[in-house]
Amino acid sequence: MTPHPSASLRHLRLGSWALAVGLLLGLVLEMLHGFKSGWYLDVGNETRRTMLMLAHTHGTLVALLHIVAGIVVRVCDRPVVSRFASAALIAGLLLPLGFLAGAFGVHGGDPGPGILLAPIGGVALLAGVVSLAVGLSRRS
Amino acid sequence: MQNTPIPPHRRPLAQRLRAWAWPITLMALAVFAQTLLTGWNRITPPAKEIPAGPVQNLAGGYATSATCRSCHPGQHASWHASYHRTMTQAARPDTVPESMNGLELTLGDRRYRVDRRADEFLVREGPVDGGTDSLGPPRRLVLLTGSHHQQNFWIETGQGNALEAFPFGWLIADRRWAPLTDTFLCPPGVTQGRSQGVWNNGCINCHSTQGRPGISADGIIDSQVAELGIACESCHGGGEEHVQRHRNPLRRYLSHLTGGGDDLIANPGRMSGPEASLACGQCHSVWAFQSAADAVRWNHEGRTFRPGDASLQERFVVQPAEDPGALAKAGQQMGDPHLVENSFWGDGRVRVTGREYNGVEASPCFKGGDFSCQSCHQMHRTDTRRDGLTAWAASQMQAGATGNQACLQCHGAFNDPAALTKHTRHAASSEGSSCYNCHMPYSSFGLMRAVRSHQVSVPDVRESAEWGRPNACNLCHLDRPLAWTAEHLKTWYGQTPPALGRDDHEIAASVKWILQGDAGQRALAAWSMGWAPAQSASGRHWISPFLANTLNDPYAAVRYVAWKALLTLPGFADYPFDYTAPDDETFAAATAAYQRSLDLRQRQIAPPAFNPATLLDKEGRFIEAPFQRLLDTRDQRAVYLIE
């Protein structure tokens, strides 16, 4: 377990920016609702709407996870986040990015090809969280 | 990793497992018992009980629209908004009219009462003069057909799942009940038009998806459907294999990238014109069985036609103009020669709505190859906004195809207003320059209204003189005789005028049709008198006496159409009339309406003059002799225009 000296700051910085983007996307979606945009709300665009909603929720939650990770690194008196966990959590951002990309190039009930990023991000996120849990479970 | 003693507060694994032993054992026993029960049920199925309504059966590779939705949400949305979907529905509180609960109606000497019990509706029937005790046992209302213009209802019979018609229909726009036989154009006095089993061997064919009548040789009826209503697989064929193949996302994305279709599913959008049209024509046609054996097989198994087929298989489209023997053969196979014959004008052109494929197939446009129903109609609207879908669902027209644009796709030369005017001899912006009005006039009838002929044709006086079909010109120029039209068609287009009698030179064509024509002609003439373009071309000042007189027509459907047209005239917007009322009441209403038309004219300071061809004197009264002569020579043959 080799704690990166700037791991905390990196996660906090990344998390904050990701949270800003996630919230901004939320505002955009609310605006699309407000103006009753057919591109977003029409029943035929259900897949796009689902992708954008998933991008917003997952993006916000992953951002909060990074902020939590950054705080954990800072408050723990021992190294709990490995390089692998740190990298995997960052790669986890591919999950919301995949949903966002999948909202474009929708074909019927199938999202656009960008959705391929989502499972990669999902696996990375899972690995990162498991790695973090393992790190926290270890006794110093 | 260093060895550490187990903390005292943590129990050993074995001890912890023991604590879960009982719950796990109980759960395992429950699962085992459930498995046994399920297996037993599979081995010994319960004795077959045929429920009151049709049973869902997905045999033959059907998957239902609910499965299609996940991959085709846009197409599903537009279909869901269409009246195809609701063509047959289970009778539930949200599908039947609000007035169904507690409904009491009488027909002849019978009384009917409908009561709601939980989510079911029960019909009881008895003598009209009896009390509540005299009503018979309750029977469930099982299905309803129709959802656009009118709804008809079907009651359980207890004979398999044979259904019997509830003898009243609901007219949606009018929000009123009417005797079922008064919701179709059929002769007065017909009471047994839609009796027991009609849904099972008739309506099921086109008002459900892959209906199987299930009528066995011993008369037991066990009707089954893949889905109620006209769902995705009516036009695309059974989708089970297509669904299975495309569960694999890689295959789906490969299909998206290559833009290729799937040979496991029919897609009328990728078919040739004739095949695509026949997907519609499997229902929207006058058809008959090829043979008695085909009829028997069909009555048990349902249709073998699948979208994409080049023919209707065990059935054929009746086209009397192409096959002079078709009518006789169809009449023989369908067991009702009059119904088939009534569906056509004398020259073999279809005259009843809902059978548009007959017209499309006989149109000159159809011979080219790509022309199909989809040249003007679209089954799936790309824009799925709710308000747009609602408007689109009324006729499912292509965007822009409600006007000349539909025809200009091929006849682009008439995009030029000068060329259009030269062709039509009417102002380019007028109704006389509408392709539809001249080449697809309102000469078909059904669902209590006139409908455009779907046989694209050239207006010709001969069609009226020889076969009685109102021609496009006189459906607008209602106040002109056929000879007037013949003269114009000769001058403008070089048509040779047919031999016309004296009346056709002196009496307006519409006046002849509404007084002397058969019930179908009278209905079309009355409808046209309420049609805004015709009123604009012919004036509205002379129409009311004729519509007033038609309120007393022997055919209920004709009375209804006349009343609706009358409501469009000044001074009649609120005219009350019950077209199903007894004869003495309709006579009184007709007399009062006639009197009102005279009074309205009398009040005018300078009333416009009448064209002599309208048979009205200067006060607006019928000129008695010719009026009575036309009535006396009316075509009294029984007419059934059942869509």
Side-chain angles (χ1 to χ4, degrees):
Chain A
M1 185 69 65
T2 312
H4 195 282
S6 59
S8 171
L9 187 59
R10 186 173 61 222
H11 283 293
L12 285 171
R13 191 186 297 139
L14 199 59
S16 302
W17 279 112
L19 186 61
V21 172
L23 293 177
L24 179 66
L25 180 58
L27 281 175
V28 170
L29 299 189
E30 283 176 25
M31 196 173 69
L32 291 172
H33 256 296
F35 288 99
K36 298 293 174 206
S37 164
W39 181 83
Y40 179 62
L41 288 179
D42 282 0
V43 281
N45 294 330
E46 186 181 308
T47 307
R48 176 179 296 132
R49 187 167 64 254
T50 304
M51 289 298 111
L52 289 172
M53 280 161 39
L54 287 171
H56 163 60
T57 52
H58 283 82
T60 307
L61 288 171
V62 171
L64 289 173
L65 186 65
H66 275 277
I67 292 171
V68 168
I71 293 169
V72 165
V73 170
R74 189 156 292 197
V75 299
C76 281
D77 54 357
R78 58 192 171 83
V80 290
V81 180
S82 65
R83 282 183 193 279
F84 171 78
S86 183
L89 286 176
I90 293 170
L93 285 167
L94 289 175
L95 179 65
L97 280 176
F99 287 131
L100 186 62
F104 300 91
V106 169
H107 201 292
D110 289 324
I115 193 65
L116 287 173
L117 294 174
I120 299 170
V123 171
L125 190 63
L126 178 65
V129 171
V130 168
S131 182
L132 181 63
V134 169
L136 285 167
S137 302
R138 286 180 194 279
R139 291 170 187 81
S140 55
Chain B
M1 183 72 72
Q2 63 187 77
N3 286 331
T4 51
I6 297 168
H9 64 278
R10 295 188 68 185
R11 292 180 294 170
L13 181 63
Q15 197 179 339
R16 276 182 282 157
L17 282 177
R18 265 199 300 278
W20 285 94
W22 273 112
I24 290 171
T25 306
L26 284 174
M27 281 174 62
L29 279 173
V31 170
F32 182 65
Q34 177 66 31
T35 309
L36 270 184
L37 201 62
T38 308
W40 179 255
N41 281 343
R42 281 187 184 158
I43 294 164
T44 55
K48 188 174 182 185
E49 274 186 29
I50 301 173
V55 179
Q56 187 177 56
N57 181 350
L58 301 182
Y62 286 80
T64 79
S65 55
T67 311
C68 305
R69 185 179 184 276
S70 59
C71 285
H72 307 283
Q75 287 87 345
H76 185 278
S78 54
W79 164 76
H80 197 269
S82 75
Y83 294 105
H84 279 124
R85 176 181 68 87
T86 48
M87 197 50 75
T88 299
Q89 301 177 87
R92 298 186 312 261
D94 61 322
T95 57
V96 303
E98 290 171 9
S99 58
M100 184 63 92
N101 186 24
L103 181 70
E104 283 228 27
L105 294 165
T106 58
L107 184 65
D109 59 356
R110 305 296 289 169
R111 182 162 71 102
Y112 298 84
R113 181 174 172 86
V114 185
D115 290 296
R116 180 176 170 178
R117 185 184 67 189
D119 282 347
E120 290 184 331
F121 292 88
L122 303 173
V123 181
R124 289 186 298 161
E125 178 187 351
V128 73
D129 51 358
T132 309
D133 295 343
S134 66
L135 293 173
R139 291 189 291 159
R140 270 179 295 171
L141 203 66
V142 180
L143 296 180
L144 58 148
T145 47
S147 59
H148 189 186
H149 303 294
Q150 65 186 59
Q151 291 180 321
N152 298 332
F153 304 86
W154 302 92
I155 317 168
E156 66 178 343
T157 61
Q159 310 294 314
N161 58 20
L163 299 175
E164 177 186 314
F166 182 58
F168 295 89
W170 173 254
L171 301 180
I172 293 171
D174 296 288
R175 299 187 59 77
R176 65 157 292 176
W177 294 92
L180 194 56
T181 47
D182 288 350
T183 62
F184 297 92
L185 194 148
C186 56
V190 172
T191 55
Q192 295 298 318
R194 312 221 141 192
S195 55
Q196 183 171 321
V198 168
W199 191 89
N200 304 77
N201 70 0
C203 309
I204 192 173
N205 176 48
C206 285
H207 287 217
S208 69
T209 304
Q210 192 54 30
R212 299 176 179 87
I215 302 171
S216 57
D218 54 9
I220 293 174
I221 296 181
D222 180 12
S223 299
Q224 304 180 343
V225 297
E227 193 168 354
L228 289 177
I230 301 158
C232 315
E233 290 163 304
S234 292
C235 303
H236 294 284
E240 187 186 21
E241 281 188 85
H242 167 78
V243 170
Q244 292 299 335
R245 176 188 276 187
H246 286 84
R247 285 201 192 285
N248 182 341
L250 293 177
R251 190 181 291 276
R252 288 204 306 278
Y253 278 94
L254 188 67
S255 180
H256 298 332
L257 290 172
T258 58
D262 178 11
D263 55 5
L264 290 179
I265 194 86
N267 185 351
R270 293 174 186 267
M271 293 175 191
S272 69
E275 288 174 348
S277 299
L278 200 57
C280 307
Q282 61 175 316
C283 287
H284 289 279
S285 63
V286 179
W287 54 263
F289 294 114
Q290 300 276 11
S291 69
D294 284 323
V296 170
R297 190 163 49 246
W298 187 91
N299 275 325
H300 191 255
E301 300 294 334
R303 72 180 73 169
T304 56
F305 171 85
R306 296 293 179 273
D309 288 352
S311 81
L312 289 184
Q313 307 295 357
E314 69 276 359
R315 301 174 293 155
F316 68 97
V317 177
V318 183
Q319 291 286 27
E322 290 176 15
D323 176 7
L327 269 184
K329 182 181 174 186
Q332 189 183 0
Q333 299 299 346
M334 303 306 286
D336 192 344
H338 299 299
L339 193 62
V340 179
E341 191 181 338
N342 270 230
S343 300
F344 296 94
W345 294 102
D347 61 351
R349 194 177 296 182
V350 72
R351 68 183 293 193
V352 65
T353 187
R355 317 293 176 189
E356 287 74 14
Y357 178 79
N358 287 67
V360 170
E361 191 188 34
S363 295
C365 309
F366 190 69
K367 312 298 183 191
D370 287 337
F371 178 83
S372 75
C373 307
Q374 295 177 73
S375 299
C376 301
H377 295 276
Q378 67 178 173
M379 292 300 101
H380 296 295
R381 191 179 145 99
T382 315
D383 183 349
T384 50
R385 276 176 293 190
R386 191 165 300 279
D387 52 346
L389 280 178
T390 305
W392 161 84
S395 54
Q396 297 195 198
M397 298 299 291
Q398 292 266 13
T402 49
N404 284 359
Q405 202 56 43
C407 303
L408 294 177
Q409 295 175 71
C410 293
H411 303 276
F414 298 116
N415 230 336
D416 173 17
L420 183 63
T421 301
K422 188 180 175 189
H423 171 65
T424 65
R425 313 293 176 131
H426 289 73
S429 60
S430 76
E431 293 286 345
S433 282
S434 155
C435 308
Y436 285 141
N437 285 346
C438 295
H439 299 292
M440 295 178 67
Y442 284 95
S443 59
S444 295
F445 188 87
L447 294 168
M448 312 286 270
R449 57 184 43 76
V451 179
R452 289 191 185 281
S453 163
H454 276 59
Q455 182 163 342
V456 179
S457 61
V458 174
D460 188 344
V461 170
R462 198 176 307 276
E463 62 183 311
S464 301
E466 293 184 14
W467 310 114
R469 179 174 54 248
N471 67 76
C473 307
N474 287 109
L475 279 173
C476 226
H477 296 281
L478 297 166
D479 58 339
R480 302 293 176 175
L482 286 184
W484 175 88
T485 305
E487 186 59 32
H488 279 80
L489 292 178
K490 178 188 172 189
T491 308
W492 290 348
Y493 304 108
Q495 281 189 14
T496 307
L500 296 172
R502 187 175 168 186
D503 282 352
D504 288 328
H505 283 84
E506 296 177 352
I507 301 174
S510 72
V511 170
K512 281 192 67 185
W513 293 327
I514 203 167
L515 296 178
Q516 193 182 34
D518 69 21
Q521 291 170 293
R522 300 200 297 276
L524 291 177
W527 186 90
S528 295
M529 287 179 174
W531 186 41
Q535 292 178 345
S536 175
S538 315
R540 301 199 290 180
H541 60 289
W542 63 279
I543 290 175
S544 56
F546 293 95
L547 293 175
N549 177 66
T550 311
L551 294 183
N552 193 36
D553 195 279
Y555 281 65
V558 179
R559 294 196 295 271
Y560 176 87
V561 172
W563 174 54
K564 288 291 178 182
L566 190 66
L567 294 177
T568 67
L569 297 177
F572 288 94
D574 58 348
Y575 194 76
F577 181 64
D578 178 4
Y579 82 102
T580 66
D583 291 350
D584 54 342
E585 289 181 33
T586 56
F587 177 76
T591 307
Y594 183 63
Q595 188 57 50
R596 184 185 286 198
S597 78
L598 298 177
D599 294 344
L600 286 169
R601 183 166 178 82
Q602 208 168 26
R603 277 184 230 151
Q604 289 179 299
I605 296 166
F610 295 121
N611 183 329
T614 59
L615 301 187
L616 294 172
D617 66 17
K618 62 181 181 182
E619 291 176 347
R621 296 179 189 278
F622 293 121
I623 300 173
E624 187 62 26
F627 171 76
Q628 196 57 49
R629 180 171 57 79
L630 291 178
L631 281 184
D632 291 344
T633 53
R634 171 176 283 183
D635 185 344
Q636 300 283 15
R637 70 193 175 99
V639 177
Y640 295 80
L641 295 179
I642 311 288
E643 58 281 353

